Amino acid sequence: GKLDLAIKALASAQKLEPRGRARAFYCRASNEYGMARASCSEHDDYKAFFSIQVRRYLATVPGGRFADEVEMETVLAVIADAWIRLAKTTDLEAEDCSGKLSLFRAVRIQFPGFGGEPRAGKILTGEFGLSAAAGPAGRCPCGSGLPYQRCCGRIPIPGEHARG
């Protein structure tokens, strides 16, 4: 149940020792987004979309956490609904990884407000993208030898702090 954390640890290890059996396992166990591989590519796409949207939402709320289960379930339902609409209107199979990430980041979800305080009831803005140092298909500048999107540019799992 901790596969995402294992992938994170392997990604860190690749920066120290970018070859051998650990690297081969990392490449087999991770998808093009740098996350744990799911049972099919559609699930990989959903996990990437979900992670981007949850991080975007949590960046707008005090403390960067859900206040309660009701808020969390509501936000997750809104994200799932947005995914269904996106999947119906877009041919994701025709896109490569970079194109999909651009689509996922372009989606702006109108999240509801919670309680008496304005926690999120606005359209979120912000750039969650690749650094200017490396393109999505290029090698990571950290020296691991991995593609940028599988190393420092991978999509963090929800709850994981962004690297600085």
Side-chain angles (χ1 to χ4, degrees), residues 104-155:
F104 298 164
R105 289 184 179 110
V107 172
R108 298 289 186 239
I109 298 175
Q110 180 86 29
F111 289 105
F114 293 93
E117 59 187 79
R119 287 198 44 114
K122 60 182 179 183
I123 295 177
L124 303 173
T125 60
E127 280 301 314
F128 300 87
L130 302 171
S131 79
R139 296 289 172 209
C140 189
C142 76
S144 68
L146 292 169
Y148 179 76
Q149 284 184 326
R150 282 193 157 194
C151 190
C152 294
R154 71 182 185 77
I155 297 176

Side-chain angles (χ1 to χ4, degrees), residues 86-96 100 103:
L86 178 68
K88 284 182 181 177
T89 60
T90 308
D91 182 18
L92 293 175
E93 291 181 18
E95 296 287 334
D96 64 351
K100 290 176 187 178
L103 281 171

Side-chain angles (χ1 to χ4, degrees), residues 30-154:
S30 66
N31 59 25
E32 63 268 13
Y33 302 112
M35 303 170 81
R37 188 178 302 275
S39 58
C40 68
S41 62
E42 184 176 301
H43 290 144
D44 286 334
D45 295 341
Y46 175 71
K47 282 174 55 177
F49 178 80
F50 171 82
S51 294
I52 289 169
Q53 299 304 329
V54 167
R55 287 180 57 83
R56 188 174 282 168
Y57 173 76
L58 292 178
T60 66
V61 298
R65 296 179 178 197
F66 294 110
D68 54 28
E69 269 192 54
V70 173
E71 177 186 10
M72 181 177 71
E73 290 174 5
T74 304
V75 168
L76 298 185
V78 169
I79 292 172
D81 184 53
W83 170 255
I84 291 168
R85 285 194 316 262
L86 178 68
K88 284 182 181 177
T89 60
T90 308
D91 182 18
L92 293 175
E93 291 181 18
E95 296 287 334
D96 64 351
C97 182
S98 298
K100 290 176 187 178
L101 286 174
S102 296
L103 281 171
F104 298 164
R105 289 184 179 110
V107 172
R108 298 289 186 239
I109 298 175
Q110 180 86 29
F111 289 105
F114 293 93
E117 59 187 79
R119 287 198 44 114
K122 60 182 179 183
I123 295 177
L124 303 173
T125 60
E127 280 301 314
F128 300 87
L130 302 171
S131 79
R139 296 289 172 209
C140 189
C142 76
S144 68
L146 292 169
Y148 179 76
Q149 284 184 326
R150 282 193 157 194
C151 190
C152 294
R154 71 182 185 77

